[in-house]
Amino acid sequence: MKALQDKIRQDGIVLSDQVLKVDSFLNHMVDPQLMLEVGQEFVRRFEGVTFDKVLTLESSGIAPAVMTALTLQVPLVFARKHKSLTLKDDLYVETVYSFTKQVHNEITISRKFLAPGERILIIDDFLAYGEATFGMARIIESAGATVAGVGIVIEKSFQDGARRLKEAGYRVESLARIASLGEQKVTFLP
Ligand code: 5GP
């Protein structure tokens, strides 16, 4: 997606050869027009696939996911991150390793917001090793629902999340695919 690649080139900050910072349009300040175009592009790519809900992880996935859900005219559910929990009876809980923060987080979704048989589109801001997406997929499947697609705003293709997800049988659509963050610059896959 050209507008997204241009924005990443212009405003993305390469923190290391592993991490890209995009806090001026996605992760802290949000560019709503670009997020709307991101949502519309996901819907275009998944044309012909039906979804009952969009699922993401708080907080950075919410902006692109809400625009996707708006365009699809379906609800958005976001998984919540918790450090520790006492009351878990009405929740789905999975443990997810956070690549950027290097901690294990418990992610939770209220049981009342996922129903058996539903077809879910997972949206996330970044794909690195696939931990967050696999965590959400485990919850969806334990609810008896189906992962009907995975939409990623920025895929770091040099980390192995995309490969792992595709090997597990999920359809992954990534709007910007980064081949490398070496030499302090962003190089996209063609
Ligand atoms: P994964 O779970 O695929 O290993 O990592 C994806 C998650 O970690 C995303 O939800 C995102 O929040 C965070 N993440 C991974 N890599 C980056 C990065 O380079 N920049 C930012 N801002 N977040 C990242």
Side-chain angles (χ1 to χ4, degrees):
M1 183 180 166
K2 184 170 181 313
L4 176 64
Q5 286 197 2
D6 291 347
K7 191 74 167 175
I8 294 169
R9 275 210 185 88
Q10 194 184 311
D11 292 345
I13 299 165
V14 178
L15 284 186
S16 70
D17 60 4
Q18 302 291 307
V19 178
L20 176 68
K21 188 171 174 179
V22 289
D23 64 345
S24 67
F25 62 93
L26 179 53
N27 286 159
H28 193 0
M29 184 157 74
V30 171
D31 180 334
Q33 178 62 41
L34 181 64
M35 290 305 115
L36 178 59
E37 289 166 28
V38 159
Q40 291 167 338
E41 178 66 12
F42 281 133
V43 174
R44 198 185 64 71
R45 292 200 185 194
F46 284 107
E47 205 180 339
V49 184
T50 55
F51 299 106
D52 298 298
K53 276 178 189 146
V54 173
L55 176 66
T56 191
L57 184 56
E58 70 174 359
S59 56
S60 296
I62 294 176
V66 76
M67 293 306 192
T68 309
L70 175 71
T71 309
L72 286 170
Q73 295 279 290
V74 299
L76 161 68
V77 178
F78 59 87
R80 310 189 75 171
K81 290 175 189 163
H82 295 270
K83 276 269 146 56
S84 67
L85 287 165
T86 42
L87 267 178
K88 295 182 179 172
D89 291 356
D90 55 351
L91 298 173
Y92 294 108
V93 183
E94 277 290 337
T95 302
V96 163
Y97 181 70
S98 163
F99 165 83
T100 39
K101 304 207 171 91
Q102 310 211 326
V103 292
H104 284 89
N105 279 313
E106 286 197 321
I107 66 165
T108 67
I109 300 174
S110 175
R111 286 180 184 268
K112 66 182 178 218
F113 296 136
L114 277 180
E118 285 184 328
R119 295 171 55 81
I120 309 294
L121 173 58
I122 295 177
I123 297 287
D124 206 3
D125 59 340
F126 272 89
L127 177 60
Y129 297 97
E131 288 285 313
T133 304
F134 274 113
M136 287 188 273
R138 287 194 297 273
I139 290 181
I140 290 167
E141 285 157 6
S142 67
T146 301
V147 180
V150 177
I152 299 294
V153 182
I154 303 173
E155 171 188 310
K156 292 184 292 178
S157 310
F158 57 90
Q159 293 164 343
D160 71 355
R163 184 187 58 75
R164 290 177 63 214
L165 287 168
K166 286 172 192 164
E167 274 177 17
Y170 301 117
R171 176 171 165 195
V172 181
E173 290 288 344
S174 303
L175 304 190
R177 295 193 304 148
I178 295 177
S180 145
L181 292 173
E183 294 165 11
Q184 299 221 310
K185 71 175 190 350
V186 182
T187 308
F188 293 100
L189 284 183

